[in-house]
Amino acid sequence: MAEFAARNRLPYRSYPLGSDEAAHVASSCGTAPLEPVVVFGRDVVVSDPTPEKVARLLGLDQDVPEDEAFDVLIVGAGPAGVSAGVYAGAEGLRALVVDETAIGGQAGTSSRIENYMGFPTGISGADLVWRGEVQAMKFGTRFVMPRRIESLDQLDNGAFCATFANGRRVLAASVVVATGVQYRRLPIARLAEFEGTGIYYAATENEARFCRDTEVLVIGGGNSAGQAAMFLSRTARHVRLLVRGDTLASSMSSYLSSRLEADPAITIEYGTHAVELHGGDRLEAVTIRNGDGDRTVASCAVFVMVGAAPNTGWLSELVALDGKGFVLTGEAAGAMSPFATSCAGIYAVGDVRAGSVKRVSSSVGEGSVVISNVWEHVRGVNRA
């Protein structure tokens, strides 16, 4: 719930279960002291809270009429999806943007992006994409979240029907897949046990508050891992970046790797990976391994940012995927457009597309360019 609130820019205050503050709030609200609840104002208490319940209470999860038709359904509200929403609205297309969690996608968890043109002092991923959302809404694009698409089917007339997890459906003449990727889980015992209590997949203010004056580990060698290490070094006593390879040159921007190497609060350990997690209710230490052997490091937080798995399971085998599950487009899919898939009317942009650059600026560019293809397709459907 805290992650949902933070990702959606909702002001909130949270108290760990079992703390004196949580007990006081529970007593004043007449709720059980060791059960999670969400409290609004003085008299609204949501027991067994879920993002969907809170979103509906705040007016974020707006109903879409059953079988309402759109020109384009954009699935994913990261930089690529929101950019597509901006340009779809500007071109007069009826567009709906859907996301399972919040505006921002993977970029929304980035504390600072410093190589995006026009922001010389940097901007957080959440702020950048939020500005795009406001811009898209100005042009009439609609957003709904948290809403997960369970399946996508093609109708006899060539249009598409998307079914949400709650059973409701929407129709669309075209679909833009912008679902991005999610970090892979490491094959380490007890990993799932410590997720949320020491193992994290994003480095935002929400996670950083658990790291004050402690040593933390960041696992990964890409830009996301580097940005996380820089951000966490402001609050943590020390940040240890674990990199499997022997260099960052091929996976991280030069400006970022140079800053990491110059920061005394950050240590980069090459050829190193985590092999064991230790702790009771929370993570307390991690055993790491390199060429010199194993050693155990006391740490309450590990940020895992290695590899990426595409979010394409909901496509119901409508489009061709590569061996890793990324969407094939352009020549690889037998299509003319670089963003068209093997199924006419479905396009893919951003990190979910096979061969994409995996940069925010390229995702924004792809989201804007793909709308010209969508517009041509929709115009052809309407003429028919």
Side-chain angles (χ1 to χ4, degrees), residues 183-186 188 190-201 277 281-283 302 304:
Y183 288 116
R184 295 185 185 276
R185 285 170 165 78
L186 293 172
I188 303 177
R190 303 186 69 189
L191 184 78
E193 179 183 339
F194 288 120
E195 287 179 344
T197 58
I199 299 295
Y200 306 102
Y201 298 92
L277 306 175
D281 295 335
R282 295 188 58 84
L283 181 68
V302 174
V304 181

Side-chain angles (χ1 to χ4, degrees), residues 31-48:
T31 63
L34 295 179
E35 294 183 4
V37 297
V38 172
V39 181
F40 291 86
R42 296 183 177 180
D43 54 3
V44 178
V45 178
V46 181
S47 58
D48 189 21

Side-chain angles (χ1 to χ4, degrees), residues 175-178 312 315 319-323 325-358 366 370 373:
V175 177
V176 173
V177 181
T312 52
L315 284 171
V319 302
L321 309 176
D322 69 6
F326 291 88
V327 180
L328 294 173
T329 59
E331 292 184 4
M336 297 294 291
S337 163
F339 308 115
T341 69
S342 58
C343 181
I346 300 182
Y347 304 85
V349 292
D351 290 358
V352 75
R353 187 176 66 84
S356 65
V357 180
K358 307 293 188 295
E366 292 182 12
V370 75
N373 301 140

Side-chain angles (χ1 to χ4, degrees), residues 105-116:
Q106 189 94 346
T109 66
S110 178
S111 56
R112 183 168 296 273
I113 300 171
E114 296 193 65
N115 58 350
Y116 193 88

